[in-house]
Amino acid sequence: VRGGNISRKRPRGTRGTAKAEAMNIPMHSRNASALRSEGARGGRTGDGAVRGGVRSKAAALASGGVARGGMAGNGAGAMRAGRGEAPAHRAVSSGWSELPSARLKSVKCADPFASKADQFKTKFGSVFNSGGIPCRLYHGAANVSLKWDKDPSLLEFDPLLVTCAEGLCETEHPYAFASRACFGELLASENGGAKATPLVHLIVPSLRAALVSPNKKVFAGGLEAVIQLSDATRDALNPHIHVLVVQMNKRNSDKELAPTILKAMQSLEEQGGPQAFAVIKSKVPTYCSVLI
């Protein structure tokens, strides 16, 4: 106490407020200046934290401190980001496990630079490659189809259909797809069955070769060809059923192929009548007639 006046020491941080009152500074300006002064003092404390609700991101990252004043969680996230770590609530992404085009790698394609002896496994490959088959592959957005240069119903089936039947043993693209598609579309064309009937004895050896193949896709293509030929030529296949049924029955234990094998036998019976059923029953005793 000096001169009868009581002097009290102002709390730290209020001297600027008293000066602002003396200078008649508005209240919102006083708060902003006070926050700036507090932030400046907080930045000098060494922990890199920003007080009063205002945080300096650069200072927090440089000193490794945690922001205070309601932003502690965000400061911790900034620290983890500075160390290259992912936030606790989000798992680290492992990226693509495989490229989207990886599903196409299962399709085996022919080598265009191979010699003719190695490039073509059947006669169909060389004929198709030289333009002897009047069609071409049309690659759409999702599917591949055939585009004929001439209506299939106007084409001569001899030797075109026989050549397509030989291509059923192809395993590489585009010959595998082209041979099966050409064979089916020729038989499905107008008067296709009448044109194919005289050629059955030339087609059956190619069908048997496909059914003997250890390749599952080739075998499945041979089964589909048997169904198509049976539907087109009806009972013309009866003299050759025993050759085909024996090879079908050898794969009957395969759960994936068994339904298609049964469908092929039923198609042979439906189109061939009682004579076809007698042949199938003699080769496959467990077969039951579809007409019962």
Side-chain angles (χ1 to χ4, degrees):
V1 180
R2 293 183 181 178
N5 295 329
I6 300 176
S7 175
R8 295 182 180 178
K9 189 175 182 181
R10 289 181 176 272
R12 187 175 185 180
T14 60
R15 296 175 182 176
T17 305
K19 182 184 281 188
E21 292 176 355
M23 298 176 64
N24 197 18
I25 298 176
M27 183 61 69
H28 63 275
S29 299
R30 301 179 200 173
N31 294 337
S33 61
L35 290 175
R36 283 195 296 270
S37 62
E38 286 293 330
R41 282 193 295 273
R44 292 192 296 268
T45 58
D47 60 354
V50 180
R51 300 176 181 177
V54 179
R55 182 185 61 174
S56 174
K57 185 176 181 181
L61 292 176
S63 61
V66 179
R68 300 176 181 176
M71 298 186 179
N74 293 337
M79 290 177 60
R80 285 193 295 267
R83 293 196 299 266
E85 300 177 2
H89 65 277
R90 184 172 59 192
V92 179
S93 175
S94 59
W96 288 98
S97 58
E98 63 178 8
L99 294 175
S101 60
R103 59 180 181 172
L104 301 177
K105 293 181 180 179
S106 60
V107 180
K108 188 177 181 181
C109 298
D111 184 6
F113 302 104
S115 62
K116 291 186 177 180
D118 298 331
Q119 184 176 3
F120 308 121
K121 293 180 174 58
T122 65
K123 182 181 178 180
F124 175 84
S126 62
V127 174
F128 181 82
N129 192 60
S130 62
I133 309 294
C135 66
R136 62 187 184 276
L137 267 63
Y138 176 76
H139 295 270
N143 299 316
V144 182
S145 60
L146 288 180
K147 289 293 183 181
W148 292 89
D149 300 333
K150 191 177 181 180
D151 191 347
S153 61
L154 303 177
L155 297 174
E156 292 292 335
F157 280 21
D158 187 14
L160 182 59
L161 186 64
V162 179
T163 303
C164 292
E166 292 180 7
L168 295 174
C169 292
E170 290 283 353
T171 58
E172 297 178 345
H173 183 77
Y175 310 123
F177 170 80
S179 61
R180 297 168 191 173
C182 288
F183 187 84
E185 293 189 14
L186 286 173
L187 291 177
S189 64
E190 186 178 358
N191 297 325
K195 293 181 179 180
T197 300
L199 305 175
V200 168
H201 67 286
L202 299 175
I203 297 174
V204 169
S206 298
L207 295 180
R208 184 181 182 279
L211 296 175
V212 172
S213 173
N215 190 304
K216 183 178 289 189
K217 292 184 178 179
V218 173
F219 181 85
L223 286 177
E224 191 64 28
V226 169
I227 296 172
Q228 294 170 347
L229 186 62
S230 176
D231 293 341
T233 60
R234 301 182 67 82
D235 59 352
L237 265 178
N238 285 357
H240 311 280
I241 287 179
H242 65 284
V243 177
L244 303 176
V245 170
V246 171
Q247 304 303 328
M248 293 183 197
N249 192 45
K250 290 181 179 180
R251 296 281 191 94
N252 202 25
S253 59
D254 192 317
K255 294 182 179 180
E256 295 182 6
L257 298 173
T260 310
I261 293 173
L262 179 61
K263 181 180 178 181
M265 292 183 180
Q266 291 175 347
S267 177
L268 292 172
E269 181 192 355
E270 289 177 349
Q271 303 300 335
Q275 182 182 355
F277 172 71
V279 175
I280 296 174
K281 190 68 175 177
S282 65
K283 299 299 180 182
V284 187
T286 57
Y287 176 77
C288 295
S289 176
V290 71
L291 302 177
I292 295 177

